[in-house]
Amino acid sequence: MTAIALLGAQWGDEGKGKATDLLGEKVDYVVRYQGGNNAGHTVVIGDQKYALHLLPSGILSPGVIPVIGNGVVIDPSVLFEEIKGLNERGIDTSRLKISTNAHLITPYHRTIDKVSERFLGKSKIGTTGRGIGPAYADKINRIGIRIQDLFDPSILKQKVEGALRDKNQILIKVFNRKGLEIDDVVNEYLGYAELLKPFVTDTSLLLNKALDQGKNILLEGSQGTLLDVDHGTYPFVTSSNPTAGGACTGSGIGPTRISRVIGIVKAYTTRVGSGPFPTELFDEDGEKLRSIGGEVGVTTGRARRCGWYDALIARYAVRVNGLTDFFLTKLDVLTGWEKIPVCVAYEIDGKRVEELPASQSDFHHAKPIYEFLPGWNEDISKAKSLDQLPANAKAYVKYLEEISGAPVSAVGVGPERDQTISVRELI
Ligand code: GDP
Ligand code: IMO
Ligand code: MG
């Protein structure tokens, strides 16, 4: 009947996995529309914890068809490892559908990602090293390899040859590395063809037909608004479009079929990798957020940078995504502070600014201006409604809603599915 997009409103790791898993129970399809195995989405069901990288979070709900859309870049070795890991834990993955147009990450993308980061030295982006940027660069450069190429060995060989002609020169002459053998890459990837075949289909057609038949679709974003290659803190971004427009291009569903866009936002802020972050904390509050919030990367194991909630970022996410709702996560992590700072504006070169600056240099100079809200000490992890929250916690949620520009429709008070306060129905 409708498609709903669910995406990160900050710099990723907002809790998209949990939110998708929760809402995914009510839909027929869950679709990943961009990114690759740079993502790390955690889903906790009872005493089981799952870390998903490439597979849509809907894979864990038996009634849901999980789909990897055309906008995703797929590293087949990672895909099959992930499938194997879930099968070993008794999860059926046979419902998975993969777009014939999705691009492939190959060994040369991974190598180039790592060596080019090393060469950037102090200016490095801090990528996940999974080959994401180089694979998307090839896609835009029209020399990428798509899933469908695996089913035509001569085309595959031609394309790998074409891609390696330049890349081997760069690897050898610029980066002082070994080149790759065309046949090694072709043979490895032909080996994946048979394994992939049962999953591969025209996912745009599948999804549009499903909508025609009255089914519900959840479009699951990876990363977050400020990591978007167009709307994020460029160049410290990922190489795809996690924002709402990407949900259309990455799935083949038109914008008129999306009825709701839900922004997942943490009650504070985190970031992994390099780049500006105005509310970042370098003191014991930052350490406390990191340890209470368990802020360690699911994909790379890196400690996440932590800071206070930034309303300018939330408002920006409303603007560039057309958010209809916020799903506020990790409110429980803020239990135990006497006062909680919330960034309501920046000071940039002596001036007060209330919208995210369009200039990256300004963003680098931005100093947060805080309002201080009274904290709470009570355990909120079992709260089932806003009224069951301590008055100050409820006031914090209401304040964020007021200054962020979209209604808060759900509040996370713990990592488990049922540790969620539903303020209004999202599906
Ligand atoms: P994603 O990349 O957006 O899916 O987020 P990650 O899974 O990388 O990081 C979010 C972390 O927060 C995971 O460990 C989740 O289990 C956890 N989480 C999600 N929602 C909540 C919540 O409301 N409270 C707490 N304490 N943890 C949460
Ligand atoms: P989820 O889906 C947080 C960051 C990297 C780096 C930048 C570019 O779990 O929210 P890339 O490997 O994509 O070229 O790296 O983007 N990054 C993420 N940060 N969560 C993620 O995914 C991320 N995926 C990429 O740390 O700064
Ligand atoms: Mg994550």
Side-chain angles (χ1 to χ4, degrees), residues 341-382:
V342 172
C343 173
V344 295
Y346 298 149
E347 188 199 311
I348 301 175
D349 302 329
K351 288 203 191 92
R352 184 183 167 101
V353 172
E354 300 203 346
E355 293 292 338
L356 220 63
S359 145
Q360 188 71 7
S361 308
D362 286 348
F363 198 49
H364 276 272
H365 297 159
K367 292 194 190 75
I369 298 174
Y370 289 117
E371 286 289 326
F372 294 85
L373 274 77
W376 61 91
N377 286 312
E378 299 88 334
D379 176 13
I380 62 167
S381 64
K382 294 185 183 64

Side-chain angles (χ1 to χ4, degrees), residues 69-112:
N70 57 279
V72 174
V73 285
I74 299 175
D75 185 329
S77 60
V78 173
L79 177 71
F80 289 111
E81 268 304 301
E82 204 166 322
I83 287 178
K84 191 168 147 239
L86 288 183
N87 292 161
E88 281 167 6
R89 295 173 72 177
I91 307 285
D92 172 28
T93 52
S94 62
R95 306 175 319 279
L96 177 68
K97 307 285 176 211
I98 299 175
S99 169
T100 183
N101 286 344
H103 280 246
L104 288 159
I105 298 177
T106 65
Y108 47 85
H109 296 126
R110 289 194 298 265
T111 307
I112 290 170

Side-chain angles (χ1 to χ4, degrees), residues 12-16 38-42 52 223 297-299 304:
D13 303 323
E14 298 91 347
K16 298 177 292 291
N38 47 350
H41 299 173
T42 318
L52 302 169
Q223 290 82 49
V298 180
T299 299
R304 294 174 182 154

Side-chain angles (χ1 to χ4, degrees), residues 123-125 226-227 233-238 271 274-276 360 364:
S123 321
K124 73 174 183 193
I125 295 158
L226 289 191
L227 286 173
T233 46
Y234 191 90
F236 303 104
V237 292
T238 192
R271 158 159 225 179
S274 320
Q360 188 71 7
H364 276 272

Side-chain angles (χ1 to χ4, degrees), residues 292-339:
I292 300 177
E295 297 297 353
V296 175
V298 180
T299 299
T300 56
R302 288 182 286 180
R304 294 174 182 154
R305 301 158 63 191
C306 296
W308 300 119
Y309 188 86
D310 185 332
L312 287 80
I313 289 176
R315 290 200 287 270
Y316 182 72
V318 172
R319 165 153 55 102
V320 299
N321 295 299
L323 296 185
T324 54
D325 303 84
F326 276 117
F327 189 131
L328 182 70
T329 61
K330 303 190 99 162
L331 184 66
D332 53 304
V333 174
L334 294 181
T335 302
W337 263 275
E338 200 187 316
K339 280 194 165 41

